[in-house]
Amino acid sequence: ANQAIQDSFSLAEKIFQFNSALEEDEPLDLQKLFKEYERTRWLPTTSITGKAAILGYLETGGRDGFYSKFRDVFFKVLDALGVPKRVLIDAATPKV
């Protein structure tokens, strides 16, 4: 939901820019505004998707629970280093 809210805010912002320019008789290129929106949202969205894919693989992959055992040790080490807190805060922090 976090990403959807940020996407909708960013998209609404671009549409507002377009509509405001129309009212002032200074039309903007709508395709260019959509490309700006894509560039703004691509990296944060791709980053979260990649993290989710890796975590999902650790949850379900391997034979006889090998990956889940590896995951448990991996997360204990990461927790000791403070990484999960930084990752979760990064994912939850709005980029718009």
Side-chain angles (χ1 to χ4, degrees), residues 22-36:
L22 281 179
E23 288 177 1
E24 296 175 13
D25 273 343
E26 298 174 9
L28 295 174
D29 182 356
L30 187 57
Q31 293 301 320
K32 182 179 175 186
L33 290 173
F34 284 149
K35 285 293 181 190
E36 288 175 11

Side-chain angles (χ1 to χ4, degrees), residues 2 48 51 82-95:
N2 180 322
I48 288 174
K51 291 171 190 172
V83 173
K85 183 177 180 182
R86 288 192 302 263
V87 169
L88 292 174
I89 288 173
D90 178 58
T93 303
K95 305 292 188 277

Side-chain angles (χ1 to χ4, degrees), residues 14 17 32-41:
K14 295 301 177 187
Q17 285 177 334
K32 182 179 175 186
L33 290 173
F34 284 149
K35 285 293 181 190
E36 288 175 11
Y37 156 76
E38 282 182 345
R39 278 193 298 273
T40 301
R41 295 300 305 142

